[in-house]
Amino acid sequence: DAGVTQSPTHLIKTRGQHVTLRCSPISGHKSVSWYQQVLGQGPQFIFQYYEKEERGRGNFPDRFSARQFPNYSSELNVNALLLGDSALYLCASSRVDGSGNTIYFGEGSWLTVV
Amino acid sequence: EDQVTQSPEALRLQEGESSSLNCSYTVSGLRGLFWYRQDPGKGPEFLFTLYSAGEEKEKERLKATLTKKESFLHITAPKPEDSATYLCAVQPTGFQKLVFGTGTRLLVSP
């Protein structure tokens, strides 16, 4: 079975622009979460979606938004990009609502804001 | 506030030299403690989930243990291919998020 897939793998944006990152969970997984990982730090939780509804939100500004589609894939959107948004954005999926189940991560999308 | 502290920040071992990585945590209630391996430029690779104090899990040269305040990742007779950053994370009760530490960078020399 394919793992968690993310696209694009790398992208460069200019300050003030908008970016959309995409994630396809493992087949059969209905929960998708997004994390931001800055170089040298551990991943920071941004959002969690389950059955197309937002179930959790981390301490990120309203410039960050996400949604989950009927096929359980997900998009993370970031508006008005800042230099500090440069990071590895990780998508994670799990079978049920994250409890008592393995949480798998994708390879991430590297975002550079210039 | 839920918090995870990993030590040491970096560890250099000779091939075959066993050691342990520490993960100390404070959490209101623990749903699970996760260990991941992360290679440079890659996403975290799942290793273990531990759910209750006293639990132990093993995979090849790795063994994870859990107490009420900390977890250890024991590496027995490591090989150069074990070089990576090892991340520890807790999942608080009632929440779906993972709270990560900053990781331990392990380098195993031949």
Side-chain angles (χ1 to χ4, degrees):
Chain A
D1 284 342
V4 179
T5 57
Q6 294 187 241
S7 64
T9 54
H10 294 81
L11 68 166
I12 301 174
K13 291 286 188 178
T14 304
R15 278 180 300 174
Q17 285 188 317
H18 164 90
V19 68
T20 297
L21 307 177
R22 297 177 175 83
C23 172
S24 293
I26 294 171
S27 178
H29 287 195
K30 298 182 178 180
S31 174
V32 171
S33 297
W34 288 94
Y35 290 79
Q36 180 196 66
Q37 187 176 23
V38 175
L39 203 62
Q41 299 295 316
Q44 296 289 316
F45 173 74
I46 309 175
F47 287 110
Q48 191 246 348
Y49 278 78
Y50 177 62
E51 290 283 15
K52 301 178 288 294
E53 291 187 5
E54 181 182 306
R55 300 298 186 98
R57 173 185 286 255
N59 188 24
F60 280 80
D62 291 343
R63 299 185 295 107
F64 289 76
S65 64
R67 56 180 175 168
Q68 187 177 33
F69 300 99
N71 66 353
Y72 303 108
S73 67
S74 178
E75 282 183 356
L76 175 69
N77 296 282
V78 186
N79 293 322
L81 285 167
L82 303 175
L83 296 180
D85 295 330
S86 297
L88 176 66
Y89 288 85
L90 295 163
C91 176
S93 81
S94 59
R95 185 167 295 278
V96 292
D97 200 18
S99 59
N101 278 274
T102 304
I103 299 174
Y104 296 95
F105 283 83
E107 296 289 14
S109 293
W110 281 99
L111 171 64
T112 301
V113 183
V114 298
Chain B
E1 182 182 350
D2 303 321
Q3 193 168 359
V4 175
T5 303
Q6 292 189 245
S7 62
E9 289 186 7
L11 181 62
R12 191 164 193 160
L13 299 173
Q14 289 294 119
E15 184 171 3
E17 180 186 2
S18 301
S19 188
S20 295
L21 313 182
N22 177 262
C23 171
S24 298
Y25 64 91
T26 54
V27 64
S28 51
L30 181 68
R31 173 173 279 171
L33 185 140
F34 293 71
W35 281 98
Y36 288 89
R37 168 193 170 128
Q38 187 173 30
D39 293 304
K42 303 290 186 180
E45 174 189 346
F46 173 79
L47 294 174
F48 305 107
T49 307
L50 302 168
Y51 296 102
S52 57
E55 188 175 0
E56 299 182 352
K57 288 192 176 177
E58 289 188 65
K59 178 181 179 180
E60 296 180 353
R61 294 178 293 282
L62 301 176
K63 178 181 177 180
T65 61
L66 180 65
T67 72
K68 289 187 178 181
K69 293 184 177 181
E70 58 190 351
S71 177
F72 291 94
L73 184 65
H74 307 278
I75 303 176
T76 302
K79 298 182 178 182
E81 53 261 42
D82 294 321
S83 298
T85 295
Y86 290 85
L87 294 167
C88 172
V90 295
Q91 186 176 46
T93 303
F95 293 91
Q96 312 311 318
K97 67 179 180 182
L98 293 176
V99 178
F100 281 87
T102 54
T104 293
R105 296 188 312 278
L106 175 66
L107 177 62
V108 182
S109 302

PDB file of all heavy atoms in Angstrom, chain B residues 48-78:
ATOM      1  N   PHE B  48       7.597   3.257  17.404  1.00  0.00           N
ATOM      2  CA  PHE B  48       6.834   2.630  18.485  1.00  0.00           C
ATOM      3  C   PHE B  48       5.749   3.566  19.010  1.00  0.00           C
ATOM      4  O   PHE B  48       5.896   4.775  18.952  1.00  0.00           O
ATOM      5  CB  PHE B  48       7.734   2.313  19.695  1.00  0.00           C
ATOM      6  CG  PHE B  48       8.942   1.482  19.408  1.00  0.00           C
ATOM      7  CD1 PHE B  48      10.202   2.059  19.407  1.00  0.00           C
ATOM      8  CD2 PHE B  48       8.826   0.125  19.160  1.00  0.00           C
ATOM      9  CE1 PHE B  48      11.325   1.306  19.160  1.00  0.00           C
ATOM     10  CE2 PHE B  48       9.942  -0.639  18.916  1.00  0.00           C
ATOM     11  CZ  PHE B  48      11.203  -0.054  18.912  1.00  0.00           C
ATOM     12  N   THR B  49       4.697   2.961  19.570  1.00  0.00           N
ATOM     13  CA  THR B  49       3.766   3.663  20.440  1.00  0.00           C
ATOM     14  C   THR B  49       3.679   2.893  21.749  1.00  0.00           C
ATOM     15  O   THR B  49       3.522   1.669  21.752  1.00  0.00           O
ATOM     16  CB  THR B  49       2.347   3.759  19.847  1.00  0.00           C
ATOM     17  OG1 THR B  49       2.413   4.303  18.541  1.00  0.00           O
ATOM     18  CG2 THR B  49       1.484   4.661  20.718  1.00  0.00           C
ATOM     19  N   LEU B  50       3.809   3.612  22.865  1.00  0.00           N
ATOM     20  CA  LEU B  50       3.679   3.030  24.200  1.00  0.00           C
ATOM     21  C   LEU B  50       2.489   3.689  24.884  1.00  0.00           C
ATOM     22  O   LEU B  50       2.274   4.892  24.746  1.00  0.00           O
ATOM     23  CB  LEU B  50       4.955   3.265  25.018  1.00  0.00           C
ATOM     24  CG  LEU B  50       6.245   2.714  24.398  1.00  0.00           C
ATOM     25  CD1 LEU B  50       7.465   3.247  25.130  1.00  0.00           C
ATOM     26  CD2 LEU B  50       6.237   1.193  24.419  1.00  0.00           C
ATOM     27  N   TYR B  51       1.711   2.899  25.640  1.00  0.00           N
ATOM     28  CA  TYR B  51       0.467   3.423  26.170  1.00  0.00           C
ATOM     29  C   TYR B  51       0.425   3.525  27.688  1.00  0.00           C
ATOM     30  O   TYR B  51      -0.308   4.357  28.226  1.00  0.00           O
ATOM     31  CB  TYR B  51      -0.708   2.568  25.688  1.00  0.00           C
ATOM     32  CG  TYR B  51      -0.891   2.607  24.197  1.00  0.00           C
ATOM     33  CD1 TYR B  51      -0.467   1.553  23.388  1.00  0.00           C
ATOM     34  CD2 TYR B  51      -1.477   3.712  23.578  1.00  0.00           C
ATOM     35  CE1 TYR B  51      -0.624   1.597  22.016  1.00  0.00           C
ATOM     36  CE2 TYR B  51      -1.637   3.767  22.209  1.00  0.00           C
ATOM     37  CZ  TYR B  51      -1.205   2.707  21.440  1.00  0.00           C
ATOM     38  OH  TYR B  51      -1.369   2.763  20.081  1.00  0.00           O
ATOM     39  N   SER B  52       1.186   2.670  28.396  1.00  0.00           N
ATOM     40  CA  SER B  52       1.089   2.698  29.852  1.00  0.00           C
ATOM     41  C   SER B  52       2.453   2.405  30.467  1.00  0.00           C
ATOM     42  O   SER B  52       3.294   1.724  29.864  1.00  0.00           O
ATOM     43  CB  SER B  52       0.054   1.690  30.328  1.00  0.00           C
ATOM     44  OG  SER B  52       0.366   0.396  29.884  1.00  0.00           O
ATOM     45  N   ALA B  53       2.643   2.922  31.681  1.00  0.00           N
ATOM     46  CA  ALA B  53       3.900   2.728  32.399  1.00  0.00           C
ATOM     47  C   ALA B  53       4.201   1.243  32.541  1.00  0.00           C
ATOM     48  O   ALA B  53       3.314   0.439  32.848  1.00  0.00           O
ATOM     49  CB  ALA B  53       3.815   3.402  33.765  1.00  0.00           C
ATOM     50  N   GLY B  54       5.464   0.901  32.300  1.00  0.00           N
ATOM     51  CA  GLY B  54       5.887  -0.487  32.382  1.00  0.00           C
ATOM     52  C   GLY B  54       5.913  -1.189  31.032  1.00  0.00           C
ATOM     53  O   GLY B  54       6.486  -2.268  30.892  1.00  0.00           O
ATOM     54  N   GLU B  55       5.317  -0.574  30.039  1.00  0.00           N
ATOM     55  CA  GLU B  55       5.260  -1.184  28.719  1.00  0.00           C
ATOM     56  C   GLU B  55       6.626  -1.082  28.030  1.00  0.00           C
ATOM     57  O   GLU B  55       7.335  -0.092  28.181  1.00  0.00           O
ATOM     58  CB  GLU B  55       4.187  -0.508  27.876  1.00  0.00           C
ATOM     59  CG  GLU B  55       3.916  -1.193  26.552  1.00  0.00           C
ATOM     60  CD  GLU B  55       2.753  -0.552  25.795  1.00  0.00           C
ATOM     61  OE1 GLU B  55       2.164   0.423  26.317  1.00  0.00           O
ATOM     62  OE2 GLU B  55       2.420  -1.049  24.706  1.00  0.00           O
ATOM     63  N   GLU B  56       6.979  -2.113  27.278  1.00  0.00           N
ATOM     64  CA  GLU B  56       8.217  -2.146  26.514  1.00  0.00           C
ATOM     65  C   GLU B  56       7.913  -2.671  25.118  1.00  0.00           C
ATOM     66  O   GLU B  56       7.063  -3.552  24.954  1.00  0.00           O
ATOM     67  CB  GLU B  56       9.259  -3.064  27.173  1.00  0.00           C
ATOM     68  CG  GLU B  56       9.683  -2.654  28.566  1.00  0.00           C
ATOM     69  CD  GLU B  56      10.748  -3.572  29.145  1.00  0.00           C
ATOM     70  OE1 GLU B  56      11.044  -4.611  28.524  1.00  0.00           O
ATOM     71  OE2 GLU B  56      11.270  -3.236  30.230  1.00  0.00           O
ATOM     72  N   LYS B  57       8.637  -2.126  24.120  1.00  0.00           N
ATOM     73  CA  LYS B  57       8.505  -2.624  22.749  1.00  0.00           C
ATOM     74  C   LYS B  57       9.882  -2.680  22.118  1.00  0.00           C
ATOM     75  O   LYS B  57      10.734  -1.835  22.396  1.00  0.00           O
ATOM     76  CB  LYS B  57       7.551  -1.742  21.931  1.00  0.00           C
ATOM     77  CG  LYS B  57       6.098  -1.916  22.346  1.00  0.00           C
ATOM     78  CD  LYS B  57       5.143  -1.270  21.370  1.00  0.00           C
ATOM     79  CE  LYS B  57       3.706  -1.572  21.787  1.00  0.00           C
ATOM     80  NZ  LYS B  57       2.717  -0.900  20.906  1.00  0.00           N
ATOM     81  N   GLU B  58      10.082  -3.667  21.251  1.00  0.00           N
ATOM     82  CA  GLU B  58      11.379  -3.862  20.608  1.00  0.00           C
ATOM     83  C   GLU B  58      11.229  -3.979  19.103  1.00  0.00           C
ATOM     84  O   GLU B  58      10.217  -4.495  18.594  1.00  0.00           O
ATOM     85  CB  GLU B  58      12.050  -5.143  21.129  1.00  0.00           C
ATOM     86  CG  GLU B  58      12.544  -5.072  22.541  1.00  0.00           C
ATOM     87  CD  GLU B  58      13.362  -6.302  22.929  1.00  0.00           C
ATOM     88  OE1 GLU B  58      14.440  -6.511  22.351  1.00  0.00           O
ATOM     89  OE2 GLU B  58      12.900  -7.045  23.807  1.00  0.00           O
ATOM     90  N   LYS B  59      12.267  -3.493  18.416  1.00  0.00           N
ATOM     91  CA  LYS B  59      12.334  -3.627  16.973  1.00  0.00           C
ATOM     92  C   LYS B  59      13.794  -3.620  16.579  1.00  0.00           C
ATOM     93  O   LYS B  59      14.474  -2.603  16.720  1.00  0.00           O
ATOM     94  CB  LYS B  59      11.591  -2.473  16.286  1.00  0.00           C
ATOM     95  CG  LYS B  59      11.634  -2.493  14.782  1.00  0.00           C
ATOM     96  CD  LYS B  59      10.890  -1.280  14.216  1.00  0.00           C
ATOM     97  CE  LYS B  59      10.945  -1.255  12.705  1.00  0.00           C
ATOM     98  NZ  LYS B  59      10.223  -0.083  12.146  1.00  0.00           N
ATOM     99  N   GLU B  60      14.272  -4.757  16.142  1.00  0.00           N
ATOM    100  CA  GLU B  60      15.678  -4.926  15.754  1.00  0.00           C
ATOM    101  C   GLU B  60      16.580  -4.487  16.912  1.00  0.00           C
ATOM    102  O   GLU B  60      16.525  -5.053  17.999  1.00  0.00           O
ATOM    103  CB  GLU B  60      15.954  -4.162  14.467  1.00  0.00           C
ATOM    104  CG  GLU B  60      15.164  -4.711  13.285  1.00  0.00           C
ATOM    105  CD  GLU B  60      15.437  -3.952  11.991  1.00  0.00           C
ATOM    106  OE1 GLU B  60      16.130  -2.921  12.020  1.00  0.00           O
ATOM    107  OE2 GLU B  60      14.942  -4.405  10.957  1.00  0.00           O
ATOM    108  N   ARG B  61      17.407  -3.465  16.719  1.00  0.00           N
ATOM    109  CA  ARG B  61      18.357  -3.038  17.757  1.00  0.00           C
ATOM    110  C   ARG B  61      17.764  -2.010  18.724  1.00  0.00           C
ATOM    111  O   ARG B  61      18.467  -1.511  19.600  1.00  0.00           O
ATOM    112  CB  ARG B  61      19.610  -2.446  17.081  1.00  0.00           C
ATOM    113  CG  ARG B  61      20.395  -3.487  16.279  1.00  0.00           C
ATOM    114  CD  ARG B  61      21.580  -2.852  15.587  1.00  0.00           C
ATOM    115  NE  ARG B  61      21.177  -1.920  14.538  1.00  0.00           N
ATOM    116  CZ  ARG B  61      20.756  -2.290  13.333  1.00  0.00           C
ATOM    117  NH1 ARG B  61      20.686  -3.560  13.035  1.00  0.00           N
ATOM    118  NH2 ARG B  61      20.409  -1.369  12.442  1.00  0.00           N
ATOM    119  N   LEU B  62      16.503  -1.671  18.556  1.00  0.00           N
ATOM    120  CA  LEU B  62      15.855  -0.638  19.353  1.00  0.00           C
ATOM    121  C   LEU B  62      14.864  -1.242  20.351  1.00  0.00           C
ATOM    122  O   LEU B  62      14.126  -2.169  20.027  1.00  0.00           O
ATOM    123  CB  LEU B  62      15.105   0.352  18.448  1.00  0.00           C
ATOM    124  CG  LEU B  62      15.931   1.087  17.413  1.00  0.00           C
ATOM    125  CD1 LEU B  62      15.021   1.950  16.552  1.00  0.00           C
ATOM    126  CD2 LEU B  62      17.005   1.940  18.074  1.00  0.00           C
ATOM    127  N   LYS B  63      14.866  -0.660  21.560  1.00  0.00           N
ATOM    128  CA  LYS B  63      13.912  -1.059  22.580  1.00  0.00           C
ATOM    129  C   LYS B  63      13.428   0.192  23.295  1.00  0.00           C
ATOM    130  O   LYS B  63      14.232   0.982  23.781  1.00  0.00           O
ATOM    131  CB  LYS B  63      14.552  -2.008  23.592  1.00  0.00           C
ATOM    132  CG  LYS B  63      13.626  -2.437  24.723  1.00  0.00           C
ATOM    133  CD  LYS B  63      14.364  -3.364  25.676  1.00  0.00           C
ATOM    134  CE  LYS B  63      13.515  -3.763  26.856  1.00  0.00           C
ATOM    135  NZ  LYS B  63      14.266  -4.671  27.777  1.00  0.00           N
ATOM    136  N   ALA B  64      12.108   0.384  23.332  1.00  0.00           N
ATOM    137  CA  ALA B  64      11.525   1.547  23.996  1.00  0.00           C
ATOM    138  C   ALA B  64      10.830   1.125  25.275  1.00  0.00           C
ATOM    139  O   ALA B  64      10.149   0.096  25.313  1.00  0.00           O
ATOM    140  CB  ALA B  64      10.533   2.241  23.072  1.00  0.00           C
ATOM    141  N   THR B  65      11.024   1.929  26.328  1.00  0.00           N
ATOM    142  CA  THR B  65      10.383   1.674  27.611  1.00  0.00           C
ATOM    143  C   THR B  65       9.678   2.930  28.080  1.00  0.00           C
ATOM    144  O   THR B  65      10.000   4.049  27.649  1.00  0.00           O
ATOM    145  CB  THR B  65      11.419   1.235  28.666  1.00  0.00           C
ATOM    146  OG1 THR B  65      12.378   2.293  28.839  1.00  0.00           O
ATOM    147  CG2 THR B  65      12.148  -0.018  28.223  1.00  0.00           C
ATOM    148  N   LEU B  66       8.707   2.759  28.993  1.00  0.00           N
ATOM    149  CA  LEU B  66       7.900   3.894  29.445  1.00  0.00           C
ATOM    150  C   LEU B  66       7.673   3.838  30.943  1.00  0.00           C
ATOM    151  O   LEU B  66       7.340   2.776  31.485  1.00  0.00           O
ATOM    152  CB  LEU B  66       6.543   3.889  28.724  1.00  0.00           C
ATOM    153  CG  LEU B  66       5.567   5.014  29.081  1.00  0.00           C
ATOM    154  CD1 LEU B  66       6.126   6.370  28.653  1.00  0.00           C
ATOM    155  CD2 LEU B  66       4.204   4.772  28.431  1.00  0.00           C
ATOM    156  N   THR B  67       7.884   5.002  31.608  1.00  0.00           N
ATOM    157  CA  THR B  67       7.480   5.171  32.998  1.00  0.00           C
ATOM    158  C   THR B  67       6.462   6.297  33.040  1.00  0.00           C
ATOM    159  O   THR B  67       6.088   6.844  31.998  1.00  0.00           O
ATOM    160  CB  THR B  67       8.678   5.519  33.907  1.00  0.00           C
ATOM    161  OG1 THR B  67       9.099   6.874  33.634  1.00  0.00           O
ATOM    162  CG2 THR B  67       9.850   4.579  33.655  1.00  0.00           C
ATOM    163  N   LYS B  68       6.051   6.689  34.233  1.00  0.00           N
ATOM    164  CA  LYS B  68       5.026   7.733  34.342  1.00  0.00           C
ATOM    165  C   LYS B  68       5.562   9.116  34.003  1.00  0.00           C
ATOM    166  O   LYS B  68       4.787  10.055  33.792  1.00  0.00           O
ATOM    167  CB  LYS B  68       4.426   7.737  35.744  1.00  0.00           C
ATOM    168  CG  LYS B  68       3.541   6.527  36.002  1.00  0.00           C
ATOM    169  CD  LYS B  68       2.830   6.635  37.320  1.00  0.00           C
ATOM    170  CE  LYS B  68       1.902   5.439  37.535  1.00  0.00           C
ATOM    171  NZ  LYS B  68       1.171   5.509  38.815  1.00  0.00           N
ATOM    172  N   LYS B  69       6.908   9.258  33.946  1.00  0.00           N
ATOM    173  CA  LYS B  69       7.476  10.575  33.699  1.00  0.00           C
ATOM    174  C   LYS B  69       8.423  10.619  32.511  1.00  0.00           C
ATOM    175  O   LYS B  69       8.776  11.706  32.051  1.00  0.00           O
ATOM    176  CB  LYS B  69       8.225  11.073  34.937  1.00  0.00           C
ATOM    177  CG  LYS B  69       7.339  11.353  36.128  1.00  0.00           C
ATOM    178  CD  LYS B  69       8.145  11.934  37.277  1.00  0.00           C
ATOM    179  CE  LYS B  69       7.242  12.275  38.453  1.00  0.00           C
ATOM    180  NZ  LYS B  69       8.004  12.877  39.573  1.00  0.00           N
ATOM    181  N   GLU B  70       8.868   9.445  32.038  1.00  0.00           N
ATOM    182  CA  GLU B  70       9.843   9.462  30.958  1.00  0.00           C
ATOM    183  C   GLU B  70       9.825   8.161  30.169  1.00  0.00           C
ATOM    184  O   GLU B  70       9.267   7.145  30.602  1.00  0.00           O
ATOM    185  CB  GLU B  70      11.251   9.737  31.503  1.00  0.00           C
ATOM    186  CG  GLU B  70      11.743   8.754  32.539  1.00  0.00           C
ATOM    187  CD  GLU B  70      13.032   9.217  33.217  1.00  0.00           C
ATOM    188  OE1 GLU B  70      13.649  10.216  32.775  1.00  0.00           O
ATOM    189  OE2 GLU B  70      13.417   8.585  34.215  1.00  0.00           O
ATOM    190  N   SER B  71      10.457   8.245  29.018  1.00  0.00           N
ATOM    191  CA  SER B  71      10.617   7.078  28.161  1.00  0.00           C
ATOM    192  C   SER B  71      12.077   7.016  27.736  1.00  0.00           C
ATOM    193  O   SER B  71      12.746   8.046  27.605  1.00  0.00           O
ATOM    194  CB  SER B  71       9.718   7.186  26.926  1.00  0.00           C
ATOM    195  OG  SER B  71       9.914   6.089  26.055  1.00  0.00           O
ATOM    196  N   PHE B  72      12.552   5.803  27.534  1.00  0.00           N
ATOM    197  CA  PHE B  72      13.915   5.601  27.064  1.00  0.00           C
ATOM    198  C   PHE B  72      13.872   4.818  25.759  1.00  0.00           C
ATOM    199  O   PHE B  72      13.064   3.901  25.586  1.00  0.00           O
ATOM    200  CB  PHE B  72      14.736   4.827  28.089  1.00  0.00           C
ATOM    201  CG  PHE B  72      15.021   5.600  29.343  1.00  0.00           C
ATOM    202  CD1 PHE B  72      14.190   5.478  30.442  1.00  0.00           C
ATOM    203  CD2 PHE B  72      16.110   6.456  29.428  1.00  0.00           C
ATOM    204  CE1 PHE B  72      14.434   6.190  31.610  1.00  0.00           C
ATOM    205  CE2 PHE B  72      16.362   7.169  30.579  1.00  0.00           C
ATOM    206  CZ  PHE B  72      15.521   7.036  31.677  1.00  0.00           C
ATOM    207  N   LEU B  73      14.766   5.198  24.859  1.00  0.00           N
ATOM    208  CA  LEU B  73      14.986   4.432  23.642  1.00  0.00           C
ATOM    209  C   LEU B  73      16.395   3.861  23.737  1.00  0.00           C
ATOM    210  O   LEU B  73      17.374   4.603  23.678  1.00  0.00           O
ATOM    211  CB  LEU B  73      14.832   5.312  22.396  1.00  0.00           C
ATOM    212  CG  LEU B  73      14.940   4.589  21.060  1.00  0.00           C
ATOM    213  CD1 LEU B  73      13.777   3.604  20.892  1.00  0.00           C
ATOM    214  CD2 LEU B  73      14.952   5.581  19.896  1.00  0.00           C
ATOM    215  N   HIS B  74      16.458   2.556  23.950  1.00  0.00           N
ATOM    216  CA  HIS B  74      17.742   1.882  24.095  1.00  0.00           C
ATOM    217  C   HIS B  74      18.191   1.385  22.727  1.00  0.00           C
ATOM    218  O   HIS B  74      17.413   0.746  22.003  1.00  0.00           O
ATOM    219  CB  HIS B  74      17.610   0.702  25.059  1.00  0.00           C
ATOM    220  CG  HIS B  74      17.010   1.061  26.385  1.00  0.00           C
ATOM    221  ND1 HIS B  74      17.732   1.616  27.415  1.00  0.00           N
ATOM    222  CD2 HIS B  74      15.728   0.956  26.833  1.00  0.00           C
ATOM    223  CE1 HIS B  74      16.927   1.829  28.448  1.00  0.00           C
ATOM    224  NE2 HIS B  74      15.714   1.440  28.137  1.00  0.00           N
ATOM    225  N   ILE B  75      19.456   1.664  22.394  1.00  0.00           N
ATOM    226  CA  ILE B  75      20.006   1.207  21.119  1.00  0.00           C
ATOM    227  C   ILE B  75      21.143   0.241  21.433  1.00  0.00           C
ATOM    228  O   ILE B  75      22.159   0.635  22.033  1.00  0.00           O
ATOM    229  CB  ILE B  75      20.516   2.390  20.288  1.00  0.00           C
ATOM    230  CG1 ILE B  75      19.379   3.391  20.072  1.00  0.00           C
ATOM    231  CG2 ILE B  75      21.058   1.908  18.957  1.00  0.00           C
ATOM    232  CD1 ILE B  75      19.788   4.643  19.343  1.00  0.00           C
ATOM    233  N   THR B  76      20.958  -1.001  21.015  1.00  0.00           N
ATOM    234  CA  THR B  76      21.934  -2.054  21.314  1.00  0.00           C
ATOM    235  C   THR B  76      22.807  -2.306  20.092  1.00  0.00           C
ATOM    236  O   THR B  76      22.289  -2.536  18.995  1.00  0.00           O
ATOM    237  CB  THR B  76      21.223  -3.344  21.727  1.00  0.00           C
ATOM    238  OG1 THR B  76      20.399  -3.088  22.867  1.00  0.00           O
ATOM    239  CG2 THR B  76      22.235  -4.432  22.063  1.00  0.00           C
ATOM    240  N   ALA B  77      24.117  -2.254  20.305  1.00  0.00           N
ATOM    241  CA  ALA B  77      25.088  -2.517  19.231  1.00  0.00           C
ATOM    242  C   ALA B  77      24.717  -1.778  17.954  1.00  0.00           C
ATOM    243  O   ALA B  77      24.455  -2.400  16.903  1.00  0.00           O
ATOM    244  CB  ALA B  77      25.206  -4.016  18.986  1.00  0.00           C
ATOM    245  N   PRO B  78      24.655  -0.439  18.013  1.00  0.00           N
ATOM    246  CA  PRO B  78      24.224   0.327  16.840  1.00  0.00           C
ATOM    247  C   PRO B  78      25.159   0.183  15.652  1.00  0.00           C
ATOM    248  O   PRO B  78      26.362  -0.092  15.799  1.00  0.00           O
ATOM    249  CB  PRO B  78      24.209   1.771  17.357  1.00  0.00           C
ATOM    250  CG  PRO B  78      25.200   1.792  18.450  1.00  0.00           C
ATOM    251  CD  PRO B  78      25.073   0.450  19.121  1.00  0.00           C
TER     252      PRO B  78
END
